[in-house]
Amino acid sequence: MTRTRRTVAAVAVITALAAGGAGAARQPWRSQGAGEGGELRNETSSTTTVRKTTLSSGLELTGKVSHGPTTEIVGQGRGTFTKLPRPGDRISAGSMLYELDAEPVVMFTGSRPFWRDITTGVNGPDVQQLERNLTDLGYADATNLTVDEEFTDNTAAAVKRWQKALGLKQTGKVELGRIIVLRDRVVRVEEITAKVGGTAVVGSDSTVLKVAKPDLFATVQLADDQIAQLMPGRRVTVRFDLGGESKGKVKEIARGSGGDDAGGGDGGGGSGSEVGKDQATATISLTDQKKAEAAVDQALPTVTVTVPDEKAEDALVVPVTALFARPEGGYCVQVARSGRQKPALVWVRIGLVVGGRAQVSPVSGRLRAGDEVVIPS
């Protein structure tokens, strides 16, 4: 097995252990079938020694504060850009994102963009999305509009009330391009691509502007063997270079961020892997948004993320690559016994996982410090 393949497999095992997903951690290069006597089928392999030691998860990572990933807004209407927002502006559902021909293009919330004019005779999920927004914004209520997939006279009346409030001609019809649908109720403008006086062309797929969530997040890049310590939901402490700190919680881990802007590990079991396009990045929500905003405003976005220390003393420790997930659930290791041709199968319970090493306790069978466990070649 190549070094790259072993690394990828180890990451899969670490991630599955942290998430509690036994089945997902099966080592793909080995058969999961059992041989005679409950032993796994033997293949070309090496062994490593089970050690009794103290396993500690203390970890500090350097990262930065930002507004997180951006969403590109693509215009669907046609005309001349007569007004655009400024970077840093916050825009909420029902408000204007920008102007075309001196008329507002408005932000609504939902799961899909509008793809056609919405008017009498039209039915579908886009109608329901429109009616839900009109109700949420106060242009209709349960007494005069049923939120469903049917465009009725009551829908048209609600649209006219909305058009009147915007200063538009009250047609009762929503033309394509009048509304931009986003998932968030409030967004922050990050970048403007269009120019006042420029022309919007239908079907050009040109980006008008980029927006992000208004909240600030801390992001840190992770070595592969650090992922298990920063799984979503993990609580951490974020210390600002500006001074002060905030409580944080890991929101998500994603790959493909690339670059080194998010920082990297400063120890705590890092593998020293190179920063690259496929490196994992953890996004951390922050409870103290004021301190985060101060850090960004003063151009001091660097932070130190501290993972609470967990410690297992006098623990039996093996590499995660020595663990096998059984189809029926649970984990085991293969122990090479003196005088036996085949390794013995020992069921284990997994404890703390740090830096590619796992704390194990035998559930069925004997496992001691000094034993040799099998690792695939």
Side-chain angles (χ1 to χ4, degrees):
M1 179 184 298
T2 65
R3 178 181 177 182
T4 299
R5 194 176 178 190
R6 282 197 298 268
T7 300
V8 171
V11 173
V13 174
I14 292 170
T15 304
L17 288 174
R26 293 173 188 154
Q27 298 183 4
W29 62 92
R30 295 188 60 85
S31 167
Q32 295 303 304
E36 294 180 6
E39 297 150 344
L40 296 180
R41 298 190 184 111
N42 198 17
E43 297 177 3
T44 303
S45 57
S46 59
T47 62
T48 189
T49 303
V50 179
R51 302 191 182 279
K52 194 169 190 178
T53 185
T54 296
L55 199 60
S56 177
S57 66
L59 182 64
E60 282 195 344
L61 299 166
T62 301
K64 70 172 186 177
V65 175
S66 68
H67 285 278
T70 59
T71 298
E72 294 187 0
I73 292 179
V74 177
Q76 296 174 303
R78 69 177 66 195
T80 300
F81 291 105
T82 50
K83 189 174 182 180
L84 292 166
R86 295 173 297 180
D89 284 354
R90 293 194 177 201
I91 300 174
S92 57
S95 299
M96 182 184 75
L97 281 165
Y98 56 90
E99 273 187 0
L100 280 179
D101 294 342
E103 293 185 344
V105 174
V106 180
M107 170 182 157
F108 274 15
T109 59
S111 59
R112 56 162 60 91
F114 291 144
W115 64 90
R116 58 182 175 175
D117 293 343
I118 305 178
T119 187
T120 301
V122 170
N123 297 313
D126 50 345
V127 174
Q128 186 175 40
Q129 190 168 253
L130 171 67
E131 292 177 339
R132 182 178 295 111
N133 275 272
L134 292 172
T135 301
D136 291 344
L137 293 171
Y139 298 105
D141 57 39
T143 65
N144 55 32
L145 181 63
T146 300
V147 177
D148 55 20
E149 295 190 353
E150 183 180 0
F151 193 103
T152 65
D153 290 343
N154 287 339
T155 310
V159 170
K160 288 179 180 179
R161 288 191 288 271
W162 170 69
Q163 290 172 326
K164 181 178 180 180
L166 294 176
L168 298 171
K169 185 176 180 181
Q170 298 168 47
T171 62
K173 169 186 174 181
V174 179
E175 68 273 23
L176 181 64
R178 176 64 59 202
I179 294 171
I180 299 293
V181 179
L182 299 174
R183 290 185 178 274
D184 298 302
R185 295 196 62 82
V186 181
V187 296
R188 181 183 187 273
V189 177
E190 294 293 303
E191 181 182 342
I192 311 297
T193 306
K195 299 182 183 300
V196 172
T199 302
V201 179
V202 175
S204 65
D205 291 335
S206 297
T207 300
V208 179
L209 51 92
K210 297 179 181 180
V211 299
K213 293 179 182 292
D215 288 344
L216 286 159
F217 299 87
T219 55
V220 291
Q221 289 189 327
L222 306 175
D224 286 336
D225 56 9
Q226 294 169 337
I227 293 174
Q229 293 168 261
L230 278 167
M231 294 301 288
R234 184 66 184 266
R235 297 189 182 276
V236 299
T237 299
V238 179
R239 187 169 67 253
F240 300 98
D241 273 12
L242 177 68
E245 61 183 37
S246 171
K247 293 180 180 179
K249 185 166 72 171
V250 179
K251 181 179 176 65
E252 64 180 2
I253 292 179
R255 286 194 180 272
S257 296
D260 57 6
D261 289 344
D266 283 341
S271 66
S273 61
E274 293 182 1
V275 175
K277 292 183 179 180
D278 292 329
Q279 187 168 9
T281 299
T283 299
I284 301 166
S285 60
L286 302 170
T287 58
D288 197 329
Q289 288 290 307
K290 289 185 178 179
K291 286 180 181 172
E293 288 173 6
V296 172
D297 290 343
Q298 297 187 40
L300 291 170
T302 303
V303 295
T304 300
V305 176
T306 302
V307 180
D309 186 40
E310 292 183 30
K311 186 177 292 186
E313 297 182 346
D314 295 327
L316 292 178
V317 175
V318 300
V320 293
T321 48
L323 298 169
F324 292 79
R326 301 302 307 277
E328 61 270 34
Y331 290 86
C332 62
V333 293
Q334 293 185 88
V335 183
R337 305 285 192 205
S338 177
R340 293 189 60 171
Q341 184 178 3
K342 294 183 178 181
L345 195 64
V346 178
W347 285 74
V348 294
R349 181 179 297 109
I350 308 302
L352 188 61
V353 180
V354 178
R357 298 185 300 163
Q359 175 192 9
V360 294
S361 303
V363 175
S364 175
R366 177 171 59 87
L367 185 66
R368 299 173 180 173
D371 284 347
E372 295 291 316
V373 292
V374 175
I375 291 182
S377 299

